[in-house]
């Protein structure tokens, strides 16, 4: 979907489709260099990371395996509860594997820090994080992401996998959502 289809719902485009692809290509090149000679398993966090995974993996000029986890963040409570539940686990044994967790955004950091701890307990050779976006002002859990597309302000962003009420995930660009939509 193009922004023109929902322009009344958006404040501004933060990153266009072209800018996103350009940045992912740069990250893929860093990842290729860093994991030279090693096997690599990409773990995507459903559902928001689908677009990032699809494009990042295709920019990677090397073999990779791809697996997915689905987690329910925060149960039925609020983000601050920090409760994470596995809805779909990996199909892959992590013993001795180099794991790169791929997500589209680190907001508070609760989801990814829980995931890294969980995956690290399964005997992998390494666990690192790649995220397209990060909100430093919103982060309450200290997590070290090795690959970050952009740091963004603490605003409501949608598109390229990011939803509001399950909508806007299929927007090509990343944009800030107009307050009248969510307030
Ligand atoms: C989003 C996003 C991250 C997480 C970031 O997932 O995909 O995984 O929230 O937030 P945090 O840093 O505050 O934990 P969400 O739970 O909305 O599910 P989704 O991927 O299905 O949209």
């Amino acid at each position: 979907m193009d922004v023109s289809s929902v322009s009344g719902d958006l404040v501004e485009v933060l990153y266009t489709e072209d800018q996103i692809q350009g940045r992912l290509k740069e990250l893929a090149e860093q990842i290729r260099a860093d994991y030279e000679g090693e096997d690599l398993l990409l773990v995507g966090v459903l559902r928001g990371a689908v677009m990032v995974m699809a494009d990042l993996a295709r920019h990677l000029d090397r073999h990779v395996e791809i697996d997915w986890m689905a987690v329910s963040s925060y149960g039925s409570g609020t983000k601050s509860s920090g409760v994470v539940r596995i809805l779909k686990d990996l199909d892959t044994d992590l013993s001795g594997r180099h794991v790169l967790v791929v997500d589209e955004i680190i907001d508070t950091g609760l989801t990814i820090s829980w995931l890294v701890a969980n995956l690290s307990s399964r005997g992998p050779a390494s666990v690192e994080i790649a995220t397209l976006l990060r909100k430093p002002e919103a982060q309450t859990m200290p997590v070290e992401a090795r690959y970050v597309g952009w740091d963004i302000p603490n605003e409501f962003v949608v598109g390229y996998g990011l939803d509001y009420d399950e909508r806007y995930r299929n927007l090509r660009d990343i944009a800030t959502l107009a307050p009248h939509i969510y307030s």
Side-chain angles (χ1 to χ4, degrees), residues 47-48 73-74 79 103-105 107-111 163 169:
R47 290 172 271 184
S73 302
Y74 329 119
K79 287 204 163 196
D103 211 345
E104 85 287 10
I105 192 163
D107 197 324
T108 63
L110 285 168
T111 306
D163 74 305
R169 286 195 202 272

Side-chain angles (χ1 to χ4, degrees), residues 110-131:
L110 285 168
T111 306
I112 206 92
S113 65
W114 184 89
L115 261 177
V116 166
N118 182 283
L119 300 180
S120 297
S121 71
R122 305 184 192 193
S126 67
V127 180
E128 298 289 349
I129 299 166
T131 182

